[in-house]
Amino acid sequence: MRADIGVYGLGTMGSALALNMIDNGFIVAVSNRSEDKIAPFLKEAEGLSGSAEGYPDLGALVAALKTPRTVLLMVPSGKATDATIDALRPLLSDGDTIIDGGNADFNDTRARHAAMDGTGVHFVGMGVSGGEEGARRGPSMMVGGSAHSWTQFRPMAEAIAADFQGAPCVAHVGPDGAGHFVKTVHNGIEYADMQMIAEIYGIQRDMAKRPVAEIGVMFARWRDGPLSSYLIESAADVLAATDSQTGKPMIEVIRDSAGQKGTGRWTVIEALKLGQSASAIEAAVGARGWSSEKAARMAGQGTLALGAQAFETPGEADLEAAMLAGRILAHAQGFRVLAVASEAFEWSLDMAQIAEIWRAGCIIRSALLDVFADAFRGTLPHDHMILAPAMVSRLAGTLPGLRRVVVAANLAGQPVPALSAALAWHDSMAAARGTADMIQGLRDYFGAHGFERIDADGAHHGDWG
């Protein structure tokens, strides 16, 4: 019997997704650039509901598939993906589909889609969120590409996706690079959320002088309230963990330097290209970047004066409100980037649907996503989520706490870049009269010194006289 799908690439995520498919009763043909991973995978797949078949190369893999064929690539993004597509493409026929399930730059996905347009072979960029555990037990998936490809892949996608109250957390979000773009913005929001959690932790550790275990208990209390989310649960678990070698809290022996894979940075870059603010995400990306400069920060500690002033340590209620307001604002920035990209690339993204497929399986799953989905299905003035009535109400109740937390942190010299950026963005949205007139005035003044002067309407008036 021929296989339902081929999976090429048996790394962490590829293996997990393939096992998920087999566990749901599908026949999966697998292959890998180095054959040594195939036999251990087949051993691991024994006893699952479906079955696995291993093949030494792409040619044998393709020959084992039902038609029209679907091949899922789980290889490193960039040159490795292009090389695999080049090798695979001549082996396929009209109606077949290649799915790139890696963390690809959506610009590359759009280019690959365009290169295959008209060839009869379909190309899909699919964002997969949830890490190894999500991929194995049920991820959130954002599928791009053609309607034909989605019809072909949908039964399997819905079978392996995370389930939220009977609804699979997967959708065909749009054509060409839409799936990878939505996943990129998901990751950008994730960066901001993680950074805000870290800032709340820092306030409790450095300003309130709370012990680690006590801070962990606070996050554990937030698990069941409006902040209920996977990341809050994870923060509580991290702070409760103990290092077996030293007996110290694990957080105290983890290096003070955070890595990143690039998707948060891509979100900021694309937001800037689209003329949108993703300031909370940018603050989070920047914080990870400068965290790597530990030696410079140690030198700064003994050199730079904080100018700290008297402050009132924020209480738990204000910290909870600050985290909730910051989360709403970071999501609002991310959804705004998605909305503008949707218009620019003619994707017709459904924001409510995107919020709903993030409710389970993915890293940013939270109780707020249903609230966001409802907001997008209701009145949405000027296409901004934070202007929806439900969001206005929630922010009205949480902004005072966020403001007090940011002010206290600033007085204490405690860095809160993401929370500060979120608040500043909110305030710039709330100000009917901004300060751009001064910026434009300076630009006009430069015109009197030989620079081009262009008014807001684009009219060129020459130098000031």
Side-chain angles (χ1 to χ4, degrees), residues 299-324:
Q301 184 177 26
T303 305
L304 299 174
L306 286 175
Q309 301 177 33
F311 63 88
E312 185 174 340
T313 303
E316 183 175 333
D318 276 353
L319 293 172
E320 183 177 17
M323 185 67 218
L324 186 57

Side-chain angles (χ1 to χ4, degrees), residues 9 24 27 35 44 55 69 78 107 182 187 243 258 270 306 316 328 345 371 373 386 397 409 451:
N24 278 280
I27 302 171
E35 289 187 50
E44 190 173 1
Y55 296 92
R69 307 173 185 88
N107 293 293
V182 172
N187 285 20
D243 177 42
E270 297 307 326
L306 286 175
E316 183 175 333
I328 290 170
F345 300 118
V371 180
I386 62 168
F451 291 89

Side-chain angles (χ1 to χ4, degrees), residues 39 153 182 271 287 405:
F153 182 57
V182 172
V405 167

Side-chain angles (χ1 to χ4, degrees), residues 199-372:
E199 290 170 16
I200 298 293
Y201 157 72
I203 288 170
Q204 287 286 68
R205 180 193 65 188
D206 301 330
M207 292 173 62
K209 307 300 182 184
R210 305 287 188 208
V212 168
E214 193 173 313
I215 304 172
V217 170
M218 180 191 74
F219 280 107
R221 282 195 292 269
W222 292 355
R223 286 173 168 171
D224 300 319
L227 283 174
S228 175
S229 65
Y230 175 70
L231 283 171
I232 291 293
E233 292 173 8
S234 299
D237 290 343
V238 167
L239 293 170
T242 301
D243 177 42
S244 59
Q245 295 185 19
T246 63
K248 294 180 178 180
M250 183 63 73
I251 195 72
E252 292 183 359
V253 299
I254 294 175
R255 64 178 182 178
D256 182 26
S257 179
Q260 56 183 310
K261 296 183 178 180
T263 46
R265 183 170 64 248
W266 291 348
T267 304
V268 176
I269 291 169
E270 297 307 326
L272 292 173
K273 287 181 181 179
L274 293 165
Q276 296 302 306
S277 172
S279 55
I281 299 169
E282 182 179 3
V285 173
R288 291 198 190 194
W290 71 63
S291 75
S292 67
E293 299 188 36
K294 181 68 173 180
R297 290 189 289 119
M298 292 295 291
Q301 184 177 26
T303 305
L304 299 174
L306 286 175
Q309 301 177 33
F311 63 88
E312 185 174 340
T313 303
E316 183 175 333
D318 276 353
L319 293 172
E320 183 177 17
M323 185 67 218
L324 186 57
R327 175 173 286 172
I328 290 170
L329 293 167
H331 277 76
Q333 288 188 341
F335 277 115
R336 181 61 182 168
V337 172
L338 288 175
V340 176
S342 179
E343 184 176 349
F345 300 118
E346 300 181 346
W347 284 337
S348 299
L349 298 180
D350 183 336
M351 301 304 157
Q353 179 189 59
I354 290 169
E356 288 172 344
I357 64 174
W358 288 347
R359 293 179 299 180
C362 74
I363 303 300
I364 64 170
R365 57 188 186 264
S366 76
L368 280 174
L369 287 163
D370 270 325
V371 180
F372 297 153

